[in-house]
Amino acid sequence: MEIMDNLLNAYLTSTCDDEPPLLKAINRETYLKETQPHMLSGHFQGRFLSLISHLLAPKRILEIGTFTGYASLCLAEGLVSDGILHTIDINEELAERVQGYFDASPYGAKIRYHIGEALQIIPTLEETFDLVFIDADKKNNLNYFELVLDKVRTGGLIMIDNVLWKGKITDASPDKQTEQIIELNKTIAQDKRVQKLILPIRDGIFLIRKF
């Protein structure tokens, strides 16, 4: 299965746009320096995030979970000329390196990088968002969703990553973390305030459009 996944991933990346040089460098350095490099969005998912951002042409983006900044830069590609992306992460140790990536990109002046607890920072952001990408600690996904929904404009989009949880959401006896993902998916599926659909891209992305 892993060989097939690798072959499929190679095929998918061969059919989408090239990975920009800076993102390629971030990808490489993340795998060299981080203990959990799989948290990085990667080439194919990154091009998906860029495409969604270009389609929306957002003026304001919120990202919860920066990691090494790969997805942040993909999302920033679609910002309008005076657009701003707010990205939040709790890991202070990565801050200097990630800020360096942002500064080396064409979008450095458009990115507001916040270090701290997202549940505390989000209420302080006096913005109306066109696009939100949630990719942080999974136990708080539902809290993040509820917290940002009122800050998203009508017709705006929320995306939540890792909602298929490596296929474990279909386990007969799921572990606690998987149960949290299952509960999140069930709750959003029943939410009448939004239009929603899970895309089986990588580890699953929940696309959620606010009515």
Side-chain angles (χ1 to χ4, degrees), residues 37-54:
H38 63 277
M39 290 169 53
L40 180 134
S41 289
H43 183 178
F44 182 75
Q45 183 172 319
R47 292 305 86 205
F48 168 76
L49 296 176
S50 173
L51 179 59
I52 290 294
S53 186
H54 277 98

Side-chain angles (χ1 to χ4, degrees), residues 10-132:
Y11 178 78
L12 291 172
T13 55
S14 75
T15 61
C16 66
D17 291 331
D18 291 339
E19 189 177 31
L22 176 59
L23 293 181
K24 190 175 292 186
I26 295 172
N27 196 331
R28 182 174 62 252
E29 290 184 16
T30 299
Y31 274 84
L32 286 173
K33 298 179 180 180
E34 300 305 317
T35 57
Q36 295 181 300
H38 63 277
M39 290 169 53
L40 180 134
S41 289
H43 183 178
F44 182 75
Q45 183 172 319
R47 292 305 86 205
F48 168 76
L49 296 176
S50 173
L51 179 59
I52 290 294
S53 186
H54 277 98
L55 286 170
L56 285 177
K59 188 169 185 177
R60 290 293 184 271
I61 300 175
L62 173 62
E63 179 189 38
I64 305 171
T66 314
F67 191 39
T68 54
Y70 189 101
S72 317
L73 292 173
C74 294
L75 292 166
E77 292 176 18
L79 283 167
V80 295
S81 59
D82 59 344
I84 296 293
L85 181 147
H86 292 271
T87 184
I88 306 170
D89 202 276
I90 199 170
N91 191 340
E92 295 182 22
E93 294 181 2
L94 287 174
E96 184 176 354
R97 175 150 55 99
V98 172
Q99 187 62 58
Y101 294 147
F102 292 159
D103 293 342
S105 79
Y107 316 108
K110 297 182 177 184
I111 298 175
R112 305 289 183 266
Y113 185 23
H114 307 268
I115 299 294
E117 294 280 354
L119 292 175
Q120 297 175 10
I121 293 172
I122 293 168
T124 71
L125 302 177
E126 297 181 359
E127 302 274 20
T128 298
F129 294 102
D130 306 291
L131 176 59
V132 176

